Amino acid sequence: MRIHPDLFYAKILLFGEYSVLLNSMGLSIPYTHFNGELNFIGDDKYTDRNFAKRSNRELFKFLNYLIDNSDKYDSLLDLRTFENDINKGLYFESSIPESYGLGSSGALCASVYKKYGINPIGNSKKLKNGEIIQLKNILAQLESGFHGKSSGLDPLNSYLKVPLLIYNQNEIEQVSLPGKKFGEDSAIFLINSQKSGNTEPLVRSFLKNCENKEFLALMEQELIPMNDQCIQQLVNGNADSFFTELGQLSKFQLTNFKSMIPENFLDLWAEGLNSQKFWLKLCGSGGGGYLLGFTRNYSTTKGLLLEKGYDIVTVYENEK
């Protein structure tokens, strides 16, 4: 994977959506297919000026939030230079779909911190855990301007540009993932729901539900152990155990997160579970955007989904 220093990539949280808010493990990877970078209107003759102007207006809104909360952000960002550049036409040139669970706001926050951060922490692969956690907390603070509450994992992944194994909110490791151990035709893919999602109300609803003791117990006693087992088996390269755990997690989400799954995908989700040809799970907060899929037989699964008319994007595919 070729990494460009000026680009900030989409992220895919393979495991940990919602549960990371309860301090579960998480596994996040950069997705170079979609990316963004800060630019100025007029610097690139190929710029979509309508998109650039809209993005510039969104940066103004973000700036106003930062200024309104300047007691928190004055020491993090050079707000005066940021404001001057916005007035000069700064915008975020991005191919990352918005409200699709791929971290579009995270990539934006990562790029702003990189360019306007006061003594910013570097994005070296040699960062110690304490530095990674400090960086995550800073980026979470910035992204809270978009979502009300942020784990900081989206902008952290975009900023560091490597897979991240999240043990908990205070321990994160930069890792590489095994591939061939899962079979030559194994793959991770995305299915486009053709519908945008909205993270903030879904996260707010989840946290509200967690005030219910029974719901919280279900998350802590069932969801988190399944989630953590999937991550551990994947990172350790245990293919059979991984897909067994993945099936349980997929079934759990279909039963308990049904309101976050687009209704027209419920049957397909169940079909994957019943056939065991593929397994679906939420990608990000759900409600729309992309669904995340895993399979041990991508050639067959891809043909099946394309035949049904689904829009598929490959995330990772082992070569035969």
Side-chain angles (χ1 to χ4, degrees), residues 3-294:
I3 298 298
H4 192 289
D6 296 326
L7 295 179
F8 292 85
Y9 300 109
K11 77 84 188 56
I12 295 177
L13 186 61
L14 293 181
F15 294 97
E17 64 286 344
Y18 290 107
S19 63
V20 293
L21 298 174
L22 302 176
N23 215 27
S24 78
M25 293 179 70
L27 183 62
S28 181
I29 63 172
Y31 186 36
T32 59
H33 182 77
F34 297 118
N35 57 71
E37 63 179 325
L38 290 170
N39 204 347
F40 286 92
I41 297 173
D43 278 3
D44 187 342
K45 64 181 180 181
Y46 299 109
T47 297
D48 179 338
R49 293 189 67 85
N50 289 330
F51 173 88
K53 289 179 179 179
R54 181 171 68 84
S55 175
N56 178 258
R57 289 194 296 268
E58 291 301 314
L59 285 180
F60 264 119
K61 291 180 184 178
F62 185 43
L63 173 68
N64 288 333
Y65 166 81
L66 298 175
I67 292 174
D68 289 343
N69 297 275
S70 59
D71 56 320
K72 292 193 297 184
Y73 297 106
D74 265 345
S75 61
L76 295 181
L77 296 176
D78 182 351
L79 295 178
R80 176 168 294 183
T81 301
F82 187 32
E83 181 176 14
N84 288 339
D85 283 352
I86 292 173
N87 285 323
K88 294 175 183 176
L90 184 75
Y91 76 103
F92 190 57
E93 177 70 53
S94 174
S95 63
I96 306 171
E98 297 177 14
S99 301
Y100 261 62
L102 296 181
S104 56
S105 62
L108 170 59
C109 290
S111 66
V112 168
Y113 178 68
K114 180 71 172 179
K115 187 175 179 69
Y116 300 101
I118 296 174
N119 299 318
I121 297 172
N123 55 352
S124 166
K125 293 182 179 179
K126 297 180 180 179
L127 288 181
K128 297 179 180 178
N129 179 68
E131 294 172 307
I132 294 175
I133 298 304
Q134 183 184 357
L135 179 60
K136 178 185 76 72
N137 292 338
I138 290 171
L139 293 170
Q141 203 172 329
L142 291 178
E143 198 180 27
S144 65
F146 289 92
H147 298 315
K149 180 175 181 178
S150 166
S151 67
L153 295 176
D154 285 9
L156 180 67
N157 196 267
S158 184
Y159 191 80
L160 293 179
K161 305 177 185 180
V162 295
L164 298 175
L165 174 58
I166 302 103
Y167 291 100
N168 53 56
Q169 292 293 337
N170 297 307
E171 187 178 1
I172 298 175
E173 180 183 355
Q174 301 181 66
V175 297
S176 58
L177 299 180
K180 293 294 185 182
K181 291 182 179 180
F182 288 82
E184 290 184 338
D185 200 20
S186 63
I188 303 171
F189 59 93
L190 298 172
I191 304 178
N192 192 340
S193 72
Q194 307 293 341
K195 174 187 176 183
S196 62
N198 193 342
T199 296
E200 185 176 356
L202 290 169
V203 170
R204 188 168 60 244
S205 176
F206 174 79
L207 293 174
K208 180 69 175 177
N209 288 337
C210 286
E211 295 175 8
N212 180 291
K213 291 182 180 179
E214 291 183 2
F215 182 84
L216 180 60
L218 185 67
M219 299 301 107
E220 291 179 338
Q221 296 171 18
E222 295 192 34
L223 175 62
I224 289 177
M226 287 180 203
N227 173 81
D228 292 0
Q229 275 296 312
C230 282
I231 293 171
Q232 290 167 353
Q233 301 305 330
L234 176 59
V235 171
N236 292 331
N238 301 324
D240 291 341
S241 298
F242 168 71
F243 283 105
T244 297
E245 295 292 341
L246 176 63
Q248 293 299 315
L249 179 61
S250 180
K251 183 178 180 180
F252 181 91
Q253 289 193 350
L254 181 60
T255 302
N256 297 285
F257 288 82
K258 189 169 290 186
S259 63
M260 300 166 184
I261 302 171
E263 189 174 353
N264 56 326
F265 282 86
L266 293 173
D267 288 344
L268 180 68
W269 195 298
E271 180 182 342
L273 277 170
N274 294 332
S275 68
Q276 296 194 12
K277 292 180 180 178
F278 60 91
W279 295 266
L280 300 181
K281 63 184 295 294
L282 295 176
C283 180
S285 58
Y290 285 103
L291 296 177
L292 191 57
F294 297 78

